Amino acid sequence: VIRLIQDAAAAAEDFFFPPACLACGDGRARMFEGGVCTRCWESIPKLAAERCEICDVPLRPPAAAIACGKCLQTPPPFEALKTAAPYAVGARKVLHAFKYRGADYLAPHLARMLASVLRDFPPVQAAVPVPATRREIREKGFFPAGELAREIAILLSIERGEDLLRKVRETDRQVGLPLPRRFENVRGAFEATAPPETVLLVDDVVTSGSTLSACAKALKRAGARFVFAAAFARALPEEN
Ligand SMILES: [Zn+2]
Ligand SMILES: [Zn+2]
């Protein structure tokens, strides 16, 4: 019995004070936030100073315009997107720990970073995660966009909107598809029900924005007037 109690105490200690960083595995690092060491948090790269006001892609300095050529030519169906970090090594490591090592207690820390870049947005009424189908959630065992959206809703004191948008059919994985195919792949894949006037769409990583666009269209078809978007990391299409 004493053995069992000792084991349980050790397990509890490992849960609250993980023995090693979930992102880099360093067992000597001592300062942890959500199971990740200070050095790993600090290795999350900073965003470029000049970014598109609409889709948040880095603009080549000196930036003459406030939006990128693509957004000026064909504005996306969402009002604007903000991201917290480029999807480069440091951010990738921490997100990987979040998604694949069961570190759902990382969600509040990632959500706090993301919430801090949303200050320029007008007030939003609900945080809606980019949905996954039941099969996708079962296969991954985790729904990172949902975890982030839930924490964002708590931080901003707004409605949790995971029931407002559904993925109604399976799609091919976007990673590896050429850009034009990505928009076709997700077209009509989402359906919204009675969203409020102003919605915040939440995802973990954004690449082409095609999934966000399909979601924003579905929300607007169902009556939303403004759709803002937030994703923790921004990958550029060629970085996949
Ligand atoms: Zn670490
Ligand atoms: Zn843009």
Side-chain angles (χ1 to χ4, degrees):
V1 174
I2 288 169
R3 194 56 226 277
L4 277 177
I5 294 170
Q6 281 172 342
D7 285 354
E13 195 180 310
D14 283 359
F15 180 79
F16 292 109
F17 306 98
C21 169
L22 287 167
C24 71
D26 188 346
R28 289 159 308 159
R30 274 293 161 254
M31 296 293 289
F32 289 95
E33 239 186 79
V36 168
C37 76
T38 318
R39 215 178 41 217
C40 281
W41 280 113
E42 282 166 359
S43 73
I44 293 179
K46 302 277 173 286
L47 294 164
E50 304 282 342
R51 304 190 310 281
C52 171
E53 207 171 61
I54 298 169
C55 75
D56 210 42
V57 292
L59 295 175
R60 222 168 266 134
I66 51 167
C68 74
K70 250 171 67 189
C71 288
L72 288 175
Q73 205 172 36
T74 319
F78 49 84
E79 286 13 86
L81 160 70
K82 293 275 184 225
T83 59
Y87 191 53
V89 182
R92 203 172 293 177
K93 256 192 338 202
V94 174
L95 270 180
H96 197 269
F98 171 54
K99 283 162 67 157
Y100 300 108
R101 300 199 186 136
D104 42 351
Y105 39 93
L106 266 170
H109 302 278
L110 297 171
R112 232 187 8 246
M113 270 183 78
L114 186 49
S116 73
V117 300
L118 304 181
R119 286 194 204 104
D120 295 340
F121 281 172
V124 287
Q125 291 162 289
V128 176
V130 166
T133 60
R134 232 174 256 151
R135 200 190 77 189
E136 287 165 346
I137 295 174
R138 200 173 52 236
E139 279 171 6
K140 285 189 201 151
F142 191 48
F143 180 32
E147 297 283 329
L148 280 178
R150 194 191 59 210
E151 295 297 332
I152 293 271
I154 294 170
L155 284 169
L156 304 183
S157 305
I158 55 173
E159 186 192 334
R160 284 175 57 178
E162 64 262 39
D163 298 333
L164 302 178
L165 186 65
R166 285 179 315 128
K167 190 165 181 187
V168 291
R169 65 169 172 84
E170 303 285 344
T171 50
D172 293 331
R173 277 171 54 81
Q174 293 281 79
V175 173
L177 289 182
L179 212 53
R181 276 284 297 132
R182 292 183 182 212
F183 283 89
E184 278 168 44
N185 185 35
V186 291
R187 187 171 297 144
F190 302 96
E191 250 174 47
T193 317
E197 187 176 56
T198 309
V199 170
L200 180 70
L201 251 181
V202 180
D203 209 352
D204 53 343
V205 182
V206 60
T207 304
S208 64
S210 48
T211 305
L212 289 178
S213 291
C215 289
K217 279 186 193 155
L219 286 161
K220 288 192 170 176
R221 253 197 323 266
R225 283 187 63 199
F226 306 102
V227 177
F228 293 87
F232 184 80
R234 136 86 59 200
L236 295 172
E238 61 272 19
E239 285 171 358
N240 274 305

